[in-house]
Amino acid sequence: MTTSTPLLPKAASEALVKGIASFPNATKDVVIATTPTTDEEWRNYVHSRNTEQKKKIKKMKKELEVDVELLKMNKVVVRRITPKAISPEFKNKVYIDIHGGAFVLFGGLPSIEEGLLVADRLGIVVYSVDYRMPPAFPSPAALEDVTSVYHILIEKVGAQNLLVGGTSAGGGLVLSLVQALIKHNMPLPAAIYAGTPWADLTKTSDTLYTNENIDNVLVTYEGQLKAAAHLYAGKKILSDPSVSPIYGSFKHFPPTYLVSGTRDMFLSDTVRVNRAIRDSGGVTQLELFEGLSHAEYLIFYSTPESETTYRLMKGFFLSNL
């Protein structure tokens, strides 16, 4: 048997419950058994997942009122997403989108998934960074690409007009970017968003244990997550702050918007980041959703949970510009 019947939340929205019920629900054993073990197997797996994801992105592009333009910025592939209607409050503002996918998935066209939603729902111009990924390009390639694009946009619009965000691995990269900027005394963005950030690649956070087999997206740390963590880290240990930003400093962080759910295996990563920023004197807004597994506000983007995520994001950004 390759799947199990999901335990559906009773207090989540009807739309989210329907989404969870329709989502493939792999067992822990299947996740572990199907984890790639060689570079060739990883390339085949990534190609298969990305091909499937492209179908969703093409559907979203038709639904949403945005234009997408392919660019190169310092040799980094970037897609600029421009909404048909830019919110007056976000005129001359720019959002840098850093995609998720366990640092190995969703390069190319799939990289704009959340960027499409942010552009449409906030009414802001978005630059989605198609950063390099393992197995060919382990850390620090992704962070170098994101930092390079950030530096270009500083010159273009000014740091005070920049917002940066991402989900999962993308959220972790957002945190790593800010830590690198602070370390090198670079101007910081006006505010950031870290959606269910993968901030600790080690198996330490509590909900990696308590929400195992309950989170129907991640399922388990063993298998694909663990393997992807080591691919991304390369020759570094998983607790290296440049790989796992939870072990770095959170002093002087810009205002940070955080999102997770009660079933999310990265709930503890999100909570730990929130606490680290608050204990360092920073400002955060942490939003948690009942019954939500990892990044389901993005996966099931036609739910009230998703609409609320980006509505609150817009309000948080506007209050910190």
Side-chain angles (χ1 to χ4, degrees):
M1 185 176 179
T2 59
T3 62
S4 60
T5 302
L7 178 66
L8 300 176
K10 295 181 178 180
S13 73
E14 182 179 351
L16 177 60
V17 172
K18 287 182 178 179
I20 294 170
S22 67
F23 195 77
N25 203 61
T27 64
K28 175 181 176 179
D29 289 344
V30 167
V31 171
I32 294 173
T34 57
T35 296
T37 58
T38 67
D39 286 358
E40 182 179 2
E41 287 179 359
W42 270 109
R43 283 191 290 269
N44 291 338
Y45 174 71
V46 168
H47 176 72
S48 175
R49 289 289 304 274
N50 286 1
T51 298
E52 189 64 28
Q53 186 73 353
K54 284 180 183 177
K55 298 175 184 177
K56 178 182 181 181
I57 303 307
K58 290 177 180 178
K59 176 176 178 288
M60 291 175 70
K61 284 178 66 179
K62 290 181 179 179
E63 292 175 356
L64 304 176
E65 297 294 317
V66 298
D67 292 319
V68 180
E69 180 183 2
L70 186 65
L71 307 171
K72 276 281 188 78
M73 301 176 74
N74 273 359
K75 299 182 179 180
V76 181
V77 177
V78 176
R79 288 169 177 83
R80 181 168 59 203
I81 308 169
T82 306
K84 288 292 193 295
I86 294 177
S87 298
E89 307 97 323
F90 288 128
K91 185 180 179 181
N92 302 321
K93 311 296 182 186
V94 163
Y95 178 94
I96 301 175
D97 168 53
I98 306 174
H99 73 86
F103 300 106
V104 294
L105 296 171
F106 307 146
L109 184 64
S111 66
I112 66 173
E113 179 182 19
E114 189 163 39
L116 291 170
L117 290 180
V118 172
D120 179 67
R121 292 180 176 175
L122 273 67
I124 190 171
V125 175
V126 171
Y127 287 79
S128 285
V129 185
D130 190 0
Y131 53 84
R132 292 170 294 165
M133 292 184 288
F137 300 102
S139 176
L143 182 57
E144 288 175 347
D145 288 353
V146 170
T147 303
S148 179
V149 171
Y150 181 85
H151 286 166
I152 291 174
L153 290 172
I154 281 179
E155 298 300 322
K156 185 179 178 70
V157 302
Q160 73 278 8
N161 293 316
L162 277 179
L163 302 161
V164 184
T167 280
S168 193
L173 277 168
V174 170
L175 303 175
S176 294
L177 168 66
V178 172
Q179 289 176 344
L181 294 174
I182 292 171
K183 181 178 179 181
H184 294 98
N185 296 311
M186 294 296 296
L188 300 179
I192 64 172
Y193 151 64
T196 178
W198 197 7
D200 185 353
L201 275 60
T202 73
K203 192 177 182 181
T204 300
S205 286
D206 190 51
T207 49
L208 293 179
Y209 299 88
T210 59
N211 279 346
E212 184 180 52
N213 289 319
I214 295 172
D215 183 329
N216 66 310
V217 176
L218 297 180
V219 184
T220 180
Y221 177 83
E222 303 302 327
Q224 294 172 14
L225 271 183
K226 183 177 180 180
H230 284 284
L231 277 181
Y232 176 67
K235 296 180 179 179
K236 300 176 182 177
I237 60 173
L238 295 185
S239 58
D240 187 309
S242 68
V243 172
S244 294
I246 194 65
Y247 299 108
S249 173
F250 287 86
K251 291 182 179 178
H252 312 301
F253 252 59
T256 303
Y257 175 66
L258 298 152
V259 180
S260 186
T262 59
R263 295 186 171 198
D264 188 355
M265 282 179 58
F266 288 175
L267 170 57
S268 285
D269 276 36
T270 311
V271 168
R272 291 169 69 197
V273 169
N274 180 69
R275 177 50 49 208
I277 296 173
R278 296 290 291 272
D279 286 351
S280 298
V283 174
T284 66
Q285 181 173 324
L286 171 61
E287 296 293 338
L288 301 178
F289 290 93
E290 171 72 6
L292 199 79
S293 290
H294 182 65
E296 286 184 329
Y297 57 85
L298 177 57
I299 295 170
F300 305 126
Y301 63 92
S302 296
T303 61
E305 288 84 355
S306 180
E307 294 284 353
T308 300
T309 292
Y310 298 101
R311 175 176 54 80
L312 294 176
M313 179 195 296
K314 182 175 183 178
F316 181 80
F317 284 162
L318 290 177
S319 69
N320 287 286
L321 283 172

